[in-house]
Amino acid sequence: MKQYSLITIIFYLMGPALIIASHLGSLLVFITGLSVGAISWIVFLYLIRMLGTTAIYHRLLTHKSYQAPTPLLWIGCIIGASAGQMGPSWWKAHHMAHHLHVEQPLDPHSPYTPFQGWKGFYWSQGGWLLAPQFFPEKLPADVESDRVLQIIDRLHFVPTIALGALSYAMGGLEYLGAFFLSTTLLFHGVQTVNSLAHLFGEQPFITDDHSRNSGLVAFLTLGEGWHNLHHAFQSSSRHGITIRNNRVVYLVDPTFIFIKMLESLKLASKLRMPTEPELLSRARPQGSPHTNLSAALNTR
Ligand SMILES: [Zn+2]
Ligand SMILES: [Zn+2]
């Protein structure tokens, strides 16, 4: 277990504290009500911070599925941090552990271990953040070697609090409540990749885990719900891909559309993507059984 300094422990614990505060702060909207402007603010903050998480934290920083100028990575990580779901080192550390130990005891947020059923769902939907495993075993060396990313990581709560202050300045308690509600919805949206996308959906590709392609999760997370493809081809910049009748079919993947937009602006390059023969070589044979919840529980 990595030894953390007291200040890092305090800074890291600001993350769960802010998420709990967001849940409670969301209740403000029952007092203030929500105008069209405040609802638009909720949606805007959800979408831009979801993209910071999916396009920057996940597909760029963690999996290097495309290349981008360093300032874009830094700005994207500040937007990602403003989601209130921790900074780049912490995020990448846990996500790499998820891929490395998927559905095994060292997977930080599997719905199959250490708990199953409803408790497993609660664990993967956010309960894992309130356990000692919240502190990563090891922080990624590549992120830690970038001084700017390291500062964003430790001071991850500053963009979140700044966004809350901006919301309050824009529209008082109503917009502050809108900010809290957006942050809470965003938190649960992101966590559905850990929970629902390992429980329900299709498995068009052969993987040694329970990852699923889920249209619902893809809708909530701008394309990250095509999670079976992601576990099969982790470095693919496009997640929205499936197999139907032995043919490759492309699915709506807003994060990938955003990355293509960055590419057209010369802000992204070298997008990685499996070829169709590679995709077909990993296709699950038609009629072969999917891994399912009961089968998974029997193997644990
Ligand atoms: Zn996964
Ligand atoms: Zn991943």
Side-chain angles (χ1 to χ4, degrees):
M1 174 75 180
K2 179 176 166 53
Q3 293 300 310
Y4 290 97
S5 66
L6 180 62
I7 193 73
T8 301
I9 291 172
I10 292 168
F11 283 174
Y12 272 8
L13 289 176
M14 289 290 288
L18 282 173
I19 290 300
I20 292 168
S22 293
H23 281 72
L24 297 173
S26 299
L27 298 173
L28 272 176
V29 304
F30 290 106
I31 299 167
T32 62
L34 286 172
S35 61
V36 173
I39 292 170
S40 306
W41 187 234
I42 290 172
V43 174
F44 172 74
L45 289 184
Y46 184 99
L47 293 177
I48 191 162
R49 293 185 293 170
M50 183 63 86
L51 276 178
T53 307
T54 65
I56 306 298
Y57 268 15
H58 190 205
R59 300 193 198 186
L60 177 61
L61 178 82
T62 304
H63 291 293
K64 297 183 166 57
S65 71
Y66 63 98
Q67 293 187 4
T70 304
L72 182 110
L73 174 66
W74 291 341
I75 293 165
C77 283
I78 292 171
I79 294 170
S82 76
Q85 298 181 42
M86 307 298 291
S89 281
W90 182 97
W91 205 98
K92 179 168 180 171
H94 275 310
H95 193 71
M96 295 304 283
H98 169 61
H99 280 290
L100 191 61
H101 306 291
V102 62
E103 326 289 19
Q104 302 297 317
L106 289 177
D107 181 343
H109 45 60
S110 169
Y112 301 95
T113 180
F115 307 108
Q116 297 90 35
W118 282 107
K119 210 169 172 193
F121 175 77
Y122 162 77
W123 175 263
S124 58
Q125 186 63 32
W128 65 282
L129 294 167
L130 302 174
Q133 298 94 311
F134 166 78
F135 292 97
E137 288 282 332
K138 189 165 156 283
L139 295 176
D142 61 333
V143 185
E144 286 292 294
S145 66
D146 182 322
R147 190 79 181 122
V148 175
L149 290 180
Q150 194 185 42
I151 291 170
I152 297 170
D153 182 75
R154 302 308 189 274
L155 298 178
H156 63 95
F157 52 92
V158 173
T160 316
I161 292 172
L163 200 52
L166 173 69
S167 302
Y168 184 72
M170 283 171 63
L173 284 181
E174 182 193 3
Y175 273 63
L176 182 63
F179 159 77
F180 282 136
L181 182 57
S182 178
T183 303
T184 303
L185 294 173
L186 180 65
F187 172 76
H188 287 291
V190 169
Q191 299 296 321
T192 60
V193 180
N194 304 335
S195 60
L196 298 182
H198 277 259
L199 288 168
F200 306 108
E202 295 181 336
Q203 293 185 305
F205 300 100
I206 297 168
T207 59
D208 54 3
D209 54 57
H210 300 290
S211 59
R212 309 291 172 130
N213 271 5
S214 162
L216 170 67
V217 177
F219 174 75
L220 294 173
T221 60
L222 301 178
E224 298 278 295
W226 309 125
H227 200 53
N228 182 236
L229 175 286
H230 176 56
H231 272 271
F233 298 95
Q234 292 170 24
S235 60
S236 175
S237 58
R238 180 172 198 155
H239 291 190
I241 307 175
T242 192
I243 306 287
R244 284 188 195 135
N245 299 321
N246 298 318
R247 299 175 86 128
V248 175
V249 175
Y250 294 93
L251 304 164
V252 178
D253 183 347
T255 297
F256 180 67
I257 294 169
F258 174 73
I259 295 168
K260 291 294 284 182
M261 196 193 76
L262 290 179
E263 186 184 38
S264 70
L265 296 171
K266 305 265 180 280
L267 291 171
S269 60
K270 300 191 176 145
L271 276 57
R272 297 164 74 183
M273 185 121 65
T275 62
E276 296 208 350
E278 285 170 337
L279 289 160
L280 290 169
S281 74
R282 291 288 295 273
R284 183 178 297 278
Q286 275 188 319
S288 74
H290 290 187
T291 53
N292 61 42
L293 188 54
S294 54
L297 296 183
N298 289 337
T299 60
R300 302 286 155 214

